[in-house]
Amino acid sequence: MESKVPTCTKNFKFVLMILVLAGLVATGVTLSNATADKEKLDVGADVSVKGEIGKSGVEENTTASANVSASSSGSSSSEKSEAESHGNYQSSSELQTQSHENYKMSYEKMNADSKNSFTIETEHHIYKPGDQVSIEGSIWSSLMATVGGISSVSIQVTDNNGNIVYTGKGQVNSDGDYSAQIELPPDAKKGAYTVDVKGDVTADLLSTLSLKTQTSLESSAKFVVVSPNAFAIKAGGKDFSVQVATNSSDVSDIKFDEQGKKLSFTVQGETGTKGVTEVTIPKSLLSGDLTVMIDGQVMAQSDVVETADTNDEVTLELNYHHSTHQIDIVGTNAAPEFGSLVSAVLVFSIVSIIILSMKTRIFNIKRY
């Protein structure tokens, strides 16, 4: 006699098969890369600088105009000097042991010495209009003794066109340290700014000093002012905004890999110039133990500074040598994470089918 499986059992098996297929489809969607919406943003600022940004002793070369664009497709070649690949970065194979739970909130302070008797640096290397710029430096004790002490320094800040935007004084303490704060106006021009600092000595004393000593009584540094650009990222069916401010002439290929928990983009600028990028990432998109990589190499901690960390987002400042590089920011948490839910649905569906199949076999046996 031919055995027949009850109609309800067949229907239940059919529903479970549909659940399995739905789970597989959901898994494929979840594991796919989330990419930035295609858009083009123009900055139009002269921001490319040769030499050390934010530190003493820079060379001016502010002729490159920045055009920042984001694209969800296309690729760019990556180049780096031999010195960078061997000296500044660590290989990607060391990522597991070299990831950084927390980057420093500021750059390492330079102390004046016999080789650099008058230092000047800014707290950050890139700022936005309306930001407060913190300046600090130090004077070598032997230089202080040579001129009979220095109680103050004169500070002047000029924009990319040579216009003076700030003049002021900074008090020098007994250790030779000084500092000052500058408030950028909300409409501050974009580009490279120069900070010039001179030790205050009388004209009579200055005339008695050697040319070398006179030259050592002044120093300069640069910082960049750029307005951030918002890039829309779609991940897990939600929209996120990633803010990028940079002096690189082009930013492209911004995308987010949910499975790899990685935000990636490409920067490009004039070879021989220093690049600096500030990126603000929502923690609802990527968070946890962040590691920054450039062209597949882990960036040195000295080249990455965490300038801000709030409940909602984290801001990183990245320093590199131009020309073209791919930046990857890898985290330990990516949200929304649907992988566990999808896995649970798949496991439940498969186990249910196995149990149902066993019950069906038992039912057929009992029929006989």
Side-chain angles (χ1 to χ4, degrees), residues 295-310:
D295 300 330
Q297 311 291 321
V298 178
M299 291 186 72
Q301 279 192 290
S302 59
D303 291 331
V304 182
V305 169
E306 186 180 272
T307 59
D309 185 8
T310 68

Side-chain angles (χ1 to χ4, degrees), residues 21-241:
L21 291 175
L24 290 173
V25 172
T27 302
V29 172
T30 303
L31 298 182
S32 62
N33 289 349
T35 59
D37 287 342
K38 187 174 183 179
E39 57 182 327
K40 186 174 181 65
L41 303 171
D42 292 329
V43 176
D46 295 336
V47 293
S48 181
V49 180
K50 281 189 176 179
E52 289 290 339
I53 297 175
K55 305 230 181 239
S56 307
V58 297
E59 298 177 43
E60 288 191 64
N61 184 11
T62 56
T63 58
S65 180
N67 294 304
V68 180
S69 63
S71 173
S72 60
S73 61
S75 59
S76 299
S77 60
S78 297
E79 301 177 9
K80 59 181 178 293
S81 67
E82 182 178 355
E84 290 175 332
S85 61
H86 291 288
N88 293 340
Y89 313 121
Q90 298 163 328
S91 65
S92 58
S93 62
E94 299 174 338
L95 178 58
Q96 296 298 324
T97 57
Q98 296 295 335
S99 60
H100 310 297
E101 183 176 356
N102 289 298
Y103 286 104
K104 293 181 179 179
M105 298 293 291
S106 61
Y107 295 97
E108 184 176 355
K109 182 181 177 181
M110 296 187 304
N111 293 314
D113 54 27
S114 59
K115 295 182 179 180
N116 194 5
S117 58
F118 199 137
T119 70
I120 170 66
E121 57 189 321
T122 55
E123 182 183 15
H124 302 147
H125 297 170
I126 192 167
Y127 292 91
K128 299 180 287 292
D131 281 352
Q132 178 176 281
V133 180
S134 295
I135 298 170
E136 64 177 5
S138 62
I139 305 173
W140 188 35
S141 58
S142 293
L143 178 60
M144 296 269 287
T146 299
V147 299
I150 299 175
S151 60
S152 65
V153 293
S154 297
I155 303 172
Q156 178 177 283
V157 180
T158 54
D159 63 19
N160 198 44
N161 296 321
N163 301 313
I164 298 175
V165 297
Y166 173 84
T167 56
K169 296 284 187 177
Q171 298 301 311
V172 181
N173 63 22
S174 58
D175 295 325
D177 297 327
Y178 64 91
S179 62
Q181 283 74 43
I182 302 171
E183 193 79 25
L184 292 174
D187 60 347
K189 293 182 179 180
K190 305 176 186 66
Y193 284 58
T194 302
V195 184
D196 293 306
V197 183
K198 294 182 179 181
D200 292 333
V201 297
T202 64
D204 291 340
L205 174 60
L206 189 64
S207 63
T208 65
L209 300 175
S210 66
L211 181 60
K212 181 179 179 181
T213 302
Q214 292 183 37
T215 304
S216 64
L217 285 172
E218 57 187 57
S219 188
S220 64
K222 285 188 181 294
F223 63 88
V224 176
V225 176
V226 179
S227 295
N229 294 276
F231 295 97
I233 298 288
K234 291 186 180 295
K238 294 186 177 181
D239 295 324
F240 300 90
S241 178

